């Protein structure tokens, strides 16, 4: 069985992604490192001033971007979409798309790309402040912000949410229903996966394979805030 792991952004080797200018990608997860047939990759991409992701089409692979800093826009099938910090930019497969920063600040964003269980959807932008928070599943004192899932315009390929766990809260006793990749936005804590304790800090990415029992705990007086990508989406199996 594949093993859970944690990697920090600053320990990753930057790579120049194909069809990008003045940009770098930092991969938390690739199929070879995750032993997964679900994800093509889960990474951070940075496009600097004057850079771009030039015209591309990933056929049956959906893109889910989560903006961490900066502002930017995409041209998707001829239509312009602008985004800012806290936005998800959903780019469906079979869509011609380009991406550009706005202003001089580096555009930094999480990228999830996966083709599994693909079905055609439409592009959209949704901010974390636009969604109704709900209690996080199988958790105590934790809130989820479901930004993209099969019920609100996304697809079965990717469910994306932000979760906030209060200092005395926990996400506990879960067996992963699908492969999942997460990223620590703020706070610190630890994940226990199949009995192994893995520390978490800001800008860590961590992988939990399908079938692994895990818990997520904050550590300290600050809430632990994480972005989570599940693929294929857990909610598809709950309907």
């Amino acid at each position: 069985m594949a093993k859970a792991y944690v990697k920090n952004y600053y320990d990753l080797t930057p790579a120049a992604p194909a069809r990008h200018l003045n940009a770098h990608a930092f991969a938390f997860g690739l199929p070879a490192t995750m032993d997964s047939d679900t994800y093509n990759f889960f990474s951070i991409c940075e496009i600097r001033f004057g850079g771009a992701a030039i015209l591309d089409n990933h056929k049956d692979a959906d893109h889910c971007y989560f903006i961490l800093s900066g502002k930017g826009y995409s041209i998707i099938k001829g239509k312009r979409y602008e985004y800012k910090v806290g936005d998800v930019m959903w780019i469906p497969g079979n869509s011609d798309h380009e991406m550009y920063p706005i202003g001089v600040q580096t555009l930094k964003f999480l990228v999830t790309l996966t083709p599994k269980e693909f079905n055609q959807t439409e592009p959209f932008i949704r901010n974390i402040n636009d969604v109704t928070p709900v209690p996080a599943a199988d958790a105590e004192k934790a809130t989820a912000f479901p930004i993209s899932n099969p019920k609100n315009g996304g697809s079965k390929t990717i469910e994306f949410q932000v979760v906030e766990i209060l200092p005395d809260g926990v996400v506990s006793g879960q067996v992963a229903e699908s492969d999942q990749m997460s990223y620590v936005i703020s706070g610190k804590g630890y994940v226990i996966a199949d009995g192994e304790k893995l520390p978490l800090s800001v800008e860590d990415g961590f992988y939990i394979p399908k079938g692994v029992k895990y818990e997520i705990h904050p550590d300290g007086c600050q809430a632990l805030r994480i972005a989570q990508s599940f693929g294929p989406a857990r909610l598809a199996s709950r309907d």
Side-chain angles (χ1 to χ4, degrees):
M1 177 183 290
K3 286 181 62 65
Y5 63 75
V6 176
K7 297 181 179 181
N8 189 268
Y9 161 77
Y10 292 101
D11 295 329
L12 300 174
T13 302
R19 304 190 66 79
H20 286 61
L21 305 174
N22 204 22
H24 282 97
F26 303 79
F28 290 113
L30 298 165
T33 59
M34 293 185 290
D35 190 24
S36 169
D37 65 352
T38 297
Y39 287 96
N40 278 12
F41 55 77
F42 179 84
S43 65
I44 281 178
C45 185
E46 296 176 352
I47 304 177
R48 295 178 295 281
F49 175 69
I54 60 178
L55 185 65
D56 206 354
N57 188 313
H58 295 288
K59 298 184 179 179
D60 60 353
D62 286 327
H63 263 82
C64 185
Y65 296 150
F66 181 64
I67 310 303
L68 298 170
S69 62
K71 297 188 294 183
Y73 70 95
S74 286
I75 305 295
I76 307 172
K77 295 190 289 188
K79 182 177 179 180
R80 178 175 170 132
Y81 297 81
E82 291 193 7
Y83 31 76
K84 60 186 182 303
V85 174
D87 280 343
V88 155
M89 174 74 250
W90 180 264
I91 301 180
N94 299 324
S95 299
D96 291 342
H97 60 278
E98 308 166 58
M99 191 172 194
Y100 303 88
I102 295 175
V104 299
Q105 185 179 2
T106 295
L107 178 62
K108 181 177 179 179
F109 52 98
L110 285 174
V111 181
T112 305
L113 178 67
T114 174
K116 194 165 184 177
E117 298 194 19
F118 173 78
N119 62 284
Q120 194 66 54
T121 56
E122 293 299 319
F124 66 80
I125 293 175
R126 185 174 296 122
N127 191 271
I128 185 173
N129 295 318
D130 298 333
V131 300
T132 302
V134 297
D138 304 313
E140 297 177 14
K141 298 186 178 180
T143 302
F145 298 81
I147 307 176
S148 179
N149 60 49
K151 295 181 178 179
N152 64 13
S155 79
K156 293 181 179 180
T157 58
I158 306 166
E159 177 190 355
F160 188 90
Q161 64 181 21
V162 171
V163 172
E164 293 180 345
I165 312 171
L166 295 181
D168 54 347
V170 62
V171 175
S172 65
Q174 296 197 54
V175 174
E177 298 170 295
S178 65
D179 290 334
Q180 58 183 270
M181 292 292 305
S182 301
Y183 169 82
V184 179
I185 300 170
S186 60
K188 61 180 182 177
Y190 57 93
V191 58
I192 299 175
D194 274 350
E196 182 181 6
K197 183 177 179 179
L198 303 170
L200 299 173
S201 60
V202 173
E203 296 216 80
D204 276 344
F206 61 98
Y207 168 55
I208 298 175
K210 181 178 180 180
V212 167
K213 185 175 181 179
Y214 72 98
E215 303 176 3
I216 303 174
H217 298 259
D219 188 8
C221 60
Q222 184 181 0
L224 179 63
R225 184 179 173 94
I226 57 178
Q228 293 187 305
S229 172
F230 304 88
R234 299 173 304 160
L235 294 181
S237 63
R238 294 183 180 184
D239 292 341

